[in-house]
């Protein structure tokens, strides 16, 4: 029987899992949702230091009015500290652009549901070795800086998706607002979310083994959010 000092068994399971996934890599899917002109493409390009929308053409006003929602996928392979990460960006051009926005969220909602159903089907099958995880893990939802909080389209979309996807609301082009205007808009958005019982992504607590720099940034983000919510 192996002694306690031998490196086998459940005691080393975290290390085995880490090595396995470091070799295999991770899949992460981000969905980007919002009306045209809110800076979605710019933010994604800045996040990943890449021009993912190089061939995109500007839609003229006449076409914009009758435009329907599309689903477009772009993929990036990232390697950081020996860990592979395959990032899939799900873009939704046409969302909220038409005059009648009543059904704008249906295609997006159906897409999210289809990915969950496909993953469940693959997990329930016999061959689970090469399953590709296409589920949407995070949704960046862009909010117009020109309004006074959430629109009905914003509310209906988030109500339908908040139990399925981690939603991160983003006030677009916030640098066009004064600090006071931005502060008031954040408070109004948070109040609307609370009144509509919409859950959004919350920053989790730090793990005990995180370094001090990570802990400092985590405290700073939470402190700024706390000031916005309670001021």
């Amino acid at each position: 029987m192996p002694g306690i000092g031998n490196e086998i068994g459940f005691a080393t399971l975290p290390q085995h899992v880490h090595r396995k996934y470091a070799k295999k890599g991770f899949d992460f899917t981000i969905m980007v949702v919002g009306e045209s002109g809110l800076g979605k493409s710019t933010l994604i390009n800045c996040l990943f230091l890449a021009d993912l929308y190089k061939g995109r053409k500007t839609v003229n006003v006449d076409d914009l009015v009758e435009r329907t929602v599309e689903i477009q996928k772009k993929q990036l392979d990232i390697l950081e500290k020996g860990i592979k990460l395959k990032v899939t960006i799900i873009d939704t051009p046409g969302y909220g652009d038409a005059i009648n926005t009543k059904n704008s969220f249906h295609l997006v909602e159906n897409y999210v549901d289809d990915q969950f159903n496909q993953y469940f089907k693959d997990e329930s099958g016999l061959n689970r070795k090469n399953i590709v995880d296409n589920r949407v893990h995070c949704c960046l939802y862009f909010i117009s800086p020109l309004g006074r909080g959430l629109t009905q389209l914003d509310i209906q979309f988030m109500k339908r998706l908040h139990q399925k996807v981690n939603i991160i609301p983003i006030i677009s082009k916030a640098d066009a607002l004064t600090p006071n205007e931005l502060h008031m808009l954040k408070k109004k958005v948070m109040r609307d979310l609370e009144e509509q019982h919409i859950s959004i992504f919350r920053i989790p607590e730090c793990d005990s083994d995180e370094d001090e720099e990570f802990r400092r940034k985590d405290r700073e983000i939470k402190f700024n959010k706390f000031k916005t919510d309670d001021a």
Side-chain angles (χ1 to χ4, degrees), residues 94-146:
Y95 176 85
D97 290 344
I99 292 178
N100 183 3
T101 60
K102 183 178 179 181
N103 298 318
S104 289
F105 44 76
H106 286 320
L107 182 65
V108 179
E109 183 183 16
N110 291 339
Y111 179 85
V112 171
D113 289 339
D114 288 345
Q115 305 317 305
F116 272 109
N117 291 335
Q118 184 60 51
Y119 187 81
F120 177 76
K121 189 184 297 182
D122 292 342
E123 276 280 306
S124 305
L126 296 176
N127 184 14
R128 294 182 292 175
K129 210 170 194 180
N130 300 312
I131 293 177
V132 178
D133 186 1
N134 288 319
R135 293 173 298 175
V136 179
H137 303 106
C138 169
C139 174
L140 303 182
Y141 190 87
F142 284 69
I143 298 168
S144 172
L146 304 177

Side-chain angles (χ1 to χ4, degrees), residues 21-39:
Y21 281 100
K23 182 178 179 182
K24 181 182 177 183
F26 295 88
D27 296 315
F28 189 68
T29 300
I30 302 173
M31 176 173 276
V32 184
V33 182
E35 298 174 27
S36 297
L38 295 184

Side-chain angles (χ1 to χ4, degrees), residues 123-215:
E123 276 280 306
S124 305
L126 296 176
N127 184 14
R128 294 182 292 175
K129 210 170 194 180
N130 300 312
I131 293 177
V132 178
D133 186 1
N134 288 319
R135 293 173 298 175
V136 179
H137 303 106
C138 169
C139 174
L140 303 182
Y141 190 87
F142 284 69
I143 298 168
S144 172
L146 304 177
R148 297 182 177 179
L150 300 179
T151 66
Q152 278 303 309
L153 181 61
D154 298 333
I155 291 170
Q156 290 304 315
F157 177 90
M158 287 193 266
K159 271 191 170 183
R160 289 172 176 267
L161 272 293
H162 74 128
Q163 298 292 346
K164 304 174 183 180
V165 180
N166 292 304
I167 295 179
I168 301 177
I170 296 176
I171 296 176
S172 66
K173 300 184 177 180
D175 55 349
L177 302 173
T178 66
N180 185 57
E181 287 172 337
L182 179 59
H183 177 76
M184 297 305 295
L185 182 54
K186 282 183 178 180
K187 286 184 67 174
K188 182 64 170 67
V189 168
M190 295 303 294
R191 193 182 307 123
D192 289 346
L193 291 170
E194 186 176 343
E195 289 176 355
Q196 297 295 331
H197 306 289
I198 296 171
S199 301
I200 60 173
F201 175 77
R202 304 287 180 179
I203 301 171
E205 295 299 322
C206 287
D207 292 334
S208 57
D209 59 348
E210 295 290 358
D211 58 42
E212 183 54 36
E213 176 63 16
F214 185 90
R215 289 169 174 271

Side-chain angles (χ1 to χ4, degrees), residues 6-24:
N6 293 332
E7 296 296 322
I8 64 172
F10 286 107
T12 59
L13 182 59
Q15 288 85 351
H16 291 319
V17 171
H18 175 77
R19 283 196 295 270
K20 171 187 174 184
Y21 281 100
K23 182 178 179 182
K24 181 182 177 183

Side-chain angles (χ1 to χ4, degrees), residues 36-85:
S36 297
L38 295 184
K40 303 185 297 296
S41 305
T42 302
L43 178 62
I44 293 299
N45 285 339
C46 290
L47 282 176
F48 298 105
L49 301 177
D51 189 357
L52 297 177
Y53 302 92
K54 192 181 298 182
R56 174 171 289 182
K57 297 180 180 178
T58 304
V59 182
N60 61 52
V61 177
D62 293 335
D63 294 335
L64 205 61
V65 171
E66 300 297 331
R67 197 178 188 188
T68 57
V69 184
E70 303 174 50
I71 297 291
Q72 295 181 358
K73 296 173 65 174
K74 299 179 183 296
Q75 289 188 332
L76 283 172
D77 291 316
I78 299 174
L79 182 64
E80 184 173 349
K81 296 182 180 179
I83 305 296
K84 298 176 184 177
L85 178 63

